[in-house]
């Protein structure tokens, strides 16, 4: 592949380098994408994938290297300029105007106009036409805030499609999609390929890479490792190229036996419907309880109601034999609960603030002395503990968390909650958008916490993850508990049957 001429490439990024204070994020990295192809861009979190694409989009100014698009040298100075020239991106972290309509979000910044005014009819008709072509069942007039995360993701994909782009970058596009919606996405990708597009596909889900991609580029520690056809490679080879070593196990060994029951949830029903109804389960000391279900099963509603984010209309939450109200998140934290949320950018991090703030914010009262002033030493020590124990790749405490890779952001969030020394740690899709090496580290962390007698509740859409890490799995279906199974005795088939029980 490397012997092809420049005219064979739709996009060619050569020897791109980028440095930030204290770190060289990219060191002579290459990315070459053919038309009519899907090109996997892979690497561990912090490998440089996002930085490389931000250099393409004009968000960052590269220090060295060249970029050719359709055979011509380009130097985009903004994402708008990149979009105008036919380079589009579907971001993993949704960044939409929630209180505006779907069609407003699709055409934001480029509204169709008539006689100097926004042509709402044309905007509606064009959005409807795109949705019909892509078989997306969303009303263009719907408010984005009223859509599920998966439908919001499909709107973003339609927006990229609307630009008639030649290069479409998809960053973890299936992270919030059901299996049916993933198949739908692959159909859209094939339509883009037929148009002559080159799709850069970023995912840590190996089955997707093999299902939809033609070529692959692998980065490691800010350096280019290889670009080659996917055909002939297997999963173990790709993982080895990504991490620079053989990863012999996907999941750490289990060697912990759960003990007595510490948490009892009985007939929990959320106030605002549709949501959860009559949810009952218990959690033992040292246990990892998984929550499975299809999109719309209301898995997130369970942990949000326990944590006080959603109001409950009935039911009880009992920890160590004492019934708790958990009327809000502050009370829940005080009672020993913690929650790592699903949407990291929207509800997990303060993206413009530094590692220190993001590490300590849930536990800030701890650092106040008798004078009421914050202790810089204690704050520094705990921030360093988060960085060390979570293996966060960062130049320092004052680094803005939004500049870190998604996986490193997630590690900071988990570390933040561990500083509160919770009895019950609830994790909603904790490895979403995280590479295989970092996933293993988080799995090990979860199991280590179980050994320390913490009770852990983990929501996941990845069946192998649930089967590889948990002791039991509670299956949700349409807001109700369809069944609770022992992980070692169940199968994917049984879990999927339960997930469809109340549909």
């Amino acid at each position: 592949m490397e012997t092809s001429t420049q005219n064979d490439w739709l996009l060619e990024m050569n020897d791109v380098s980028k440095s930030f204070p204290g770190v060289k994020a990219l060191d002579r990295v290459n990315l070459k994408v053919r038309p009519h192809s899907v090109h996997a861009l892979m690497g561990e979190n912090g490998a440089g994938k996002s930085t490389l694409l931000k250099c393409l989009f004009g968000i960052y100014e590269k220090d060295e290297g060249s970029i050719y698009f359709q055979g011509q040298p380009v130097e985009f100075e903004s994402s708008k300029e990149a979009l105008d020239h036919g380079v589009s991106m579907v971001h993993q972290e949704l960044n939409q105007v929630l209180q505006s309509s779907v069609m407003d979000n699709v055409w934001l910044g480029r509204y169709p106009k008539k006689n100097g005014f926004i042509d709402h009819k044309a905007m509606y008709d064009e959005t409807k036409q795109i949705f019909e072509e892509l078989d997306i069942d969303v009303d263009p007039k719907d408010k984005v805030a009223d859509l599920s995360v998966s439908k919001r993701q499909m709107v973003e994909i339609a927006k990229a499609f609307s630009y008639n782009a030649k290069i479409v970058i998809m960053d973890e596009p299936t992270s919030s999609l059901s299996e049916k919606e993933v198949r739908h996405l692959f159909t859209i990708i094939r339509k883009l390929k037929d148009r002559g597009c080159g799709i850069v596909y970023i995912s840590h889900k190996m089955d997707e890479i093999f299902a939809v991609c033609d070529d692959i580029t692998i980065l490691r520690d800010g350096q280019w490792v290889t670009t080659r056809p996917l055909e002939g490679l297997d999963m173990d080879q790709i993982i080895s190229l990504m991490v620079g070593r053989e990863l012999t196990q996907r999941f750490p060994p289990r060697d912990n036996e759960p003990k007595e029951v510490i948490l009892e949830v009985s007939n929990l029903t959320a106030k605002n419907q549709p949501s959860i109804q009559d949810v009952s389960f218990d959690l033992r000391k040292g246990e990892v309880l998984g929550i499975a279900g299809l999109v719309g099963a209301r898995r997130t509603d369970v942990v949000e109601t326990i944590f006080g984010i959603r109001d409950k209309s009935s039911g009880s939450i009992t920890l160590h034999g004492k019934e708790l109200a958990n009327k809000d998140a502050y009370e829940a934290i005080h009672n020993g609960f913690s929650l790592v949320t699903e949407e990291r950018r929207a509800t997990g991090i303060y993206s413009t603030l530094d590692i220190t703030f993001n590490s300590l914010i849930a536990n800030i009262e701890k650092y106040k002395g008798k004078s009421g002033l914050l202790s810089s030493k204690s704050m520094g020590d705990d921030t360093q503990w988060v960085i060390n124990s979570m293996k966060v790749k960062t130049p320092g405490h004052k680094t803005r968390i939004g500049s870190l890779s998604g996986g490193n952001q997630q590690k900071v969030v988990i570390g933040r909650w561990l500083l509160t020394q919770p009895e019950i740690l609830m994790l909603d899709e904790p490895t979403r958008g995280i590479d295989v090496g970092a996933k293993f580290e988080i799995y090990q962390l979860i199991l280590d916490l179980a050994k320390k007698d913490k009770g852990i509740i983990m929501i996941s859409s990845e069946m192998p993850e649930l089967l590889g890490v948990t002791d039991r799995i509670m299956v949700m279906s349409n807001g109700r508990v369809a069944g609770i199974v022992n992980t070692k005795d169940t199968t994917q088939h049984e879990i999927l049957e339960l997930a469809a029980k109340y549909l």
Side-chain angles (χ1 to χ4, degrees):
M1 179 176 257
E2 290 304 298
T3 58
S4 300
T5 64
Q6 184 173 298
N7 291 334
D8 293 325
W9 308 108
L10 185 59
L11 172 69
E12 187 174 7
M13 302 182 74
N14 297 316
D15 298 326
V16 175
S17 296
K18 178 64 181 176
S19 294
F20 300 99
V23 62
K24 187 155 192 173
L26 299 175
D27 184 9
R28 299 177 66 82
V29 169
N30 303 308
L31 176 64
K32 301 176 181 180
V33 181
R34 296 183 290 119
H36 296 284
S37 75
V38 183
H39 194 112
L41 179 60
M42 300 194 72
E44 292 189 277
N45 292 110
K49 304 185 298 294
S50 295
T51 303
L52 180 67
L53 297 175
K54 285 177 180 177
C55 288
L56 169 63
F57 262 74
I59 298 170
Y60 292 156
E61 184 179 349
K62 59 181 171 45
D63 299 332
E64 296 177 281
S66 60
I67 302 174
Y68 288 86
F69 177 54
Q70 295 183 299
Q72 299 298 315
V74 294
E75 196 80 45
F76 301 133
E77 295 185 359
S78 66
S79 54
K80 183 182 185 304
E81 187 179 346
L83 286 165
D84 290 343
H85 281 79
V87 180
S88 184
M89 186 169 186
V90 179
H91 296 272
Q92 175 191 348
E93 305 289 353
L94 299 173
N95 191 18
Q96 296 163 313
V97 184
L98 297 181
Q99 299 307 314
S100 294
S101 70
V102 167
M103 61 185 189
D104 274 327
N105 274 269
V106 170
W107 299 102
L108 189 65
R110 55 191 179 117
Y111 293 119
K113 293 186 177 180
K114 186 176 181 180
N115 299 325
F117 296 95
I118 295 173
D119 189 340
H120 291 280
K121 183 180 184 304
M123 184 163 59
Y124 177 86
D125 290 343
E126 289 183 47
T127 307
K128 190 74 174 173
Q129 182 180 343
I130 292 166
F131 284 3
E132 286 175 354
E133 184 177 354
L134 301 181
D135 196 25
I136 294 174
D137 184 22
V138 173
D139 186 334
K141 293 181 180 178
D142 282 348
K143 190 163 70 172
V144 170
D146 295 336
L147 301 181
S148 66
V149 174
S150 61
K151 285 192 173 181
R152 286 173 55 197
Q153 187 83 311
M154 296 307 288
V155 169
E156 282 299 287
I157 291 164
K159 181 177 181 178
F161 193 87
S162 74
Y163 277 93
N164 292 314
K166 285 294 183 182
I167 288 286
V168 179
I169 296 159
M170 295 189 173
D171 187 359
E172 297 286 348
T174 66
S175 57
S176 302
L177 304 185
S178 67
E179 188 175 335
K180 180 181 178 182
E181 288 165 330
V182 170
R183 291 196 298 270
H184 185 188
L185 172 65
F186 288 173
T187 299
I188 293 172
I189 286 173
R190 291 183 186 105
K191 287 183 179 181
L192 289 168
K193 278 181 65 175
D194 290 344
R195 281 185 172 189
C197 287
I199 296 99
V200 179
Y201 195 91
I202 303 172
S203 177
H204 298 299
K205 298 178 181 178
M206 292 291 180
D207 55 339
E208 293 179 7
I209 297 300
F210 285 104
V212 77
C213 295
D214 304 296
D215 306 314
I216 186 169
T217 288
I218 296 174
L219 308 184
R220 184 170 68 240
D221 296 329
Q223 296 183 322
W224 175 81
V225 176
T226 188
T227 296
R228 63 176 75 172
L230 191 64
E231 187 177 356
L233 287 173
D234 60 31
M235 186 184 300
D236 290 339
Q237 288 174 304
I238 291 174
I239 292 173
S240 180
L241 287 166
M242 282 173 56
V243 302
R245 62 188 188 280
E246 287 191 21
L247 197 65
T248 56
Q249 294 174 295
R250 286 188 66 186
F251 304 100
R254 298 298 315 271
D255 55 1
N256 183 56
E257 283 296 325
K259 301 171 185 173
E260 71 272 14
V261 170
I262 55 172
L263 175 69
E264 295 176 272
V265 175
S266 300
N267 305 114
L268 193 65
T269 299
K271 184 175 286 185
N272 297 319
Q273 295 297 322
S275 189
I276 58 171
Q277 301 175 57
D278 294 318
V279 169
S280 298
F281 66 94
D282 59 44
L283 180 68
R284 292 173 289 169
K285 185 182 287 187
E287 180 179 32
V288 182
L289 175 70
I291 303 183
L294 304 174
V295 171
R298 306 290 175 180
R299 295 166 300 171
T300 295
D301 293 23
V302 174
V303 293
E304 288 186 345
T305 306
I306 292 171
F307 200 60
I309 296 173
R310 292 177 180 269
D311 294 332
K312 63 182 173 68
S313 62
S314 61
S316 62
I317 302 165
T318 305
L319 181 65
H320 295 304
K322 179 183 177 182
E323 187 172 337
L324 306 172
N326 283 5
K327 292 178 182 176
D328 53 36
Y330 181 82
E331 186 175 324
I333 294 168
H334 179 75
N335 288 331
F337 291 80
S338 60
L339 174 60
V340 176
T341 58
E342 176 185 8
E343 291 195 69
R344 183 169 52 240
R345 183 174 294 277
T347 57
I349 64 168
Y350 299 85
S351 62
T352 61
L353 300 177
D354 61 21
I355 306 295
T356 296
F357 183 92
N358 278 276
S359 297
L360 309 182
I361 186 59
N363 209 28
I364 201 69
E365 294 295 322
K366 171 186 172 183
Y367 307 105
K368 287 184 179 178
K370 292 180 181 178
S371 64
L373 299 176
L374 297 175
S375 168
S376 297
K377 184 180 187 307
S378 295
M379 292 170 68
D381 289 346
D382 278 2
T383 303
Q384 194 60 47
W385 179 87
V386 169
I387 291 170
N388 292 345
S389 60
M390 299 293 107
K391 299 180 181 176
V392 179
K393 293 180 180 177
T394 175
H397 295 199
K398 297 302 178 184
T399 300
R400 186 173 58 85
I401 195 171
S403 69
L404 301 185
S405 68
N408 283 303
Q409 292 174 11
Q410 186 77 319
K411 290 177 184 179
V412 172
V413 173
I414 293 173
R416 170 203 301 165
W417 288 113
L418 294 185
L419 285 174
T420 69
Q421 299 184 327
E423 288 287 307
I424 307 297
L425 176 63
M426 299 183 289
L427 305 156
D428 193 351
E429 302 285 5
T431 66
R432 176 183 170 191
I434 292 178
D435 66 77
V436 65
K439 278 185 179 182
F440 189 91
E441 292 175 357
I442 289 176
Y443 299 148
Q444 186 66 67
L445 172 67
I446 290 169
L447 297 179
D448 287 345
L449 289 168
K451 286 181 185 178
K452 294 176 181 176
D453 292 338
K454 304 296 184 186
I456 297 161
I457 298 173
M458 183 177 80
I459 297 172
S460 178
S461 299
E462 295 189 33
M463 199 74 73
E465 182 169 89
L466 288 170
L467 295 171
V469 178
T470 66
D471 297 290
R472 291 185 298 154
I473 300 170
M474 179 171 74
V475 186
M476 296 294 296
S477 179
N478 200 24
R480 297 154 72 184
V481 177
I484 299 176
V485 297
N486 290 319
T487 302
K488 63 182 179 181
D489 300 323
T490 194
T491 62
Q492 290 194 29
H493 182 74
E494 181 184 21
I495 291 170
L496 289 171
E497 278 191 338
L498 288 169
K501 185 174 180 178
Y502 296 121
L503 298 182

